[in-house]
Amino acid sequence: MSVPPSSGLYLSQATEHRNFEGESFHKFFDCWISEQSQHLNDLLAAESNQVPSERAQALIEKVIDHYELYYKAKSRWAKHDVLAMLSPSWRSSLEEAFLWIGGWRPSMAFHLLYSKSSLQFEARLNELIQGIRTCDLGDLSAAQLAEFDDMQRRTIKEEREITDMMAKHQETVADAPMVELSHVVTEMIRANEGGESENKELQDRIESTLEPKVEGLEKILHKADDLRLRTLQGIVNILSPQQAIHFLIAAAELHLRLHEWGKKKDAKKAN
């Protein structure tokens, strides 16, 4: 049985052969999510065996590097096909319904953190009352909570700025050049006019009008992905290694199960 290529190797091959079509990213994503599933198993084993902080930190860095690889690949593909990155065919309809600018909303990471913290706090309340440290997300210190509160405020502010940026850019679809061009093309279709040279000139005009729209989308997607990655890194940096293991488990579980449930719903609708 052949071993599937790693996502890192797939990215290197795509870069070498300049194969940056949306379908090729779909294959990269399949490799990447398979590796995430393996990382989840590693994280669960580390949590069960209560590995030393040094080994936990090494695993955390490996998982964060894997997220960084995903956004590095996404950035490269976006330069060639940003529309595919914003309307990902490799995501299920369920996942797509909850997307924010081609990915997860950064502020959602704090909801995940606090939800898991609340669940673990309730599950081990008696130990915490007795002063026994649980070293999980139910055992966040006052200093950590203050840091998270400050980081969440800054993240939400930046998230809203990017949302506003996207809203303003979307409005440019109805600017004067677009409205004029759509009218010109409609009139040509009605009159059934235009030889090969006129059509070539018109196509060039269409491309030149659409180009800044697409370039603007790429810049906004890059800002959104940068905030996503910085939010993930920031949360992990505030947590202890043992707590970070719990957070990364919760993040992987939610991502993998939502992807799985969405795919099953899509397959059910297709039958």
Side-chain angles (χ1 to χ4, degrees), residues 193-217:
E193 295 177 351
E196 186 174 335
S197 60
E198 289 82 356
N199 286 335
K200 174 66 167 59
E201 182 179 341
L202 183 60
Q203 287 302 317
D204 289 343
R205 182 178 173 186
I206 292 171
E207 288 300 318
S208 64
T209 303
L210 291 177
E211 186 176 0
K213 314 296 184 190
V214 174
E215 289 177 351
L217 291 173

Side-chain angles (χ1 to χ4, degrees), residues 73-124:
K74 195 175 173 186
S75 177
R76 291 190 184 179
W77 259 275
K79 292 182 183 298
H80 299 270
D81 191 358
V82 67
L83 301 181
M85 298 298 106
L86 289 169
S87 301
S89 62
W90 46 92
R91 297 284 189 184
S92 65
S93 300
L94 177 63
E95 292 171 288
E96 190 169 357
F98 290 95
L99 291 184
W100 173 80
I101 312 183
W104 51 276
R105 186 177 286 273
S107 55
M108 188 187 71
F110 296 96
H111 291 286
L112 171 65
L113 172 70
Y114 294 138
S115 293
K116 191 66 177 181
S117 175
S118 175
L119 289 168
Q120 291 187 328
F121 179 83
E122 291 175 6
R124 307 185 71 171

Side-chain angles (χ1 to χ4, degrees), residues 46-228:
E47 183 238 335
S48 299
N49 298 326
Q50 297 182 334
V51 299
S53 294
E54 296 78 10
R55 286 180 57 192
Q57 188 60 44
L59 178 56
I60 291 164
E61 290 174 3
K62 179 182 178 181
V63 172
I64 294 299
D65 285 347
H66 194 238
Y67 281 106
E68 289 178 355
L69 175 67
Y70 174 78
Y71 290 112
K72 179 181 178 181
K74 195 175 173 186
S75 177
R76 291 190 184 179
W77 259 275
K79 292 182 183 298
H80 299 270
D81 191 358
V82 67
L83 301 181
M85 298 298 106
L86 289 169
S87 301
S89 62
W90 46 92
R91 297 284 189 184
S92 65
S93 300
L94 177 63
E95 292 171 288
E96 190 169 357
F98 290 95
L99 291 184
W100 173 80
I101 312 183
W104 51 276
R105 186 177 286 273
S107 55
M108 188 187 71
F110 296 96
H111 291 286
L112 171 65
L113 172 70
Y114 294 138
S115 293
K116 191 66 177 181
S117 175
S118 175
L119 289 168
Q120 291 187 328
F121 179 83
E122 291 175 6
R124 307 185 71 171
L125 181 58
N126 288 336
E127 294 173 60
L128 291 167
I129 290 175
Q130 296 173 40
I132 301 172
R133 299 297 303 274
T134 59
C135 297
D136 59 14
L137 296 177
D139 195 15
L140 296 174
S141 69
Q144 285 177 312
L145 290 170
E147 285 190 78
F148 284 131
D149 182 63
D150 179 62
M151 184 182 173
Q152 184 177 19
R153 291 173 189 274
R154 287 185 281 108
T155 300
I156 290 174
K157 179 176 181 293
E158 194 168 347
E159 186 181 284
R160 286 174 177 168
E161 290 171 353
I162 297 172
T163 298
D164 290 344
M165 191 182 303
M166 176 60 99
K168 290 177 182 177
H169 188 66
Q170 288 173 330
E171 290 172 358
T172 67
V173 170
D175 62 15
M178 288 287 287
V179 173
E180 180 189 14
L181 183 58
S182 63
H183 175 68
V184 168
V185 173
T186 302
E187 288 300 302
M188 288 186 66
I189 292 172
R190 287 181 61 195
N192 197 22
E193 295 177 351
E196 186 174 335
S197 60
E198 289 82 356
N199 286 335
K200 174 66 167 59
E201 182 179 341
L202 183 60
Q203 287 302 317
D204 289 343
R205 182 178 173 186
I206 292 171
E207 288 300 318
S208 64
T209 303
L210 291 177
E211 186 176 0
K213 314 296 184 190
V214 174
E215 289 177 351
L217 291 173
E218 183 193 337
K219 291 177 182 177
I220 294 169
L221 177 62
H222 178 74
K223 285 181 177 292
D225 282 342
D226 179 63
L227 181 57
R228 279 186 266 267

Side-chain angles (χ1 to χ4, degrees), residues 36 40 43 67 112 247-257:
Q36 186 183 41
L40 174 58
L43 289 164
Y67 281 106
L112 171 65
F247 175 74
L248 291 172
I249 286 173
E253 286 177 339
L254 183 60
H255 180 229
L256 290 167
R257 297 296 78 80

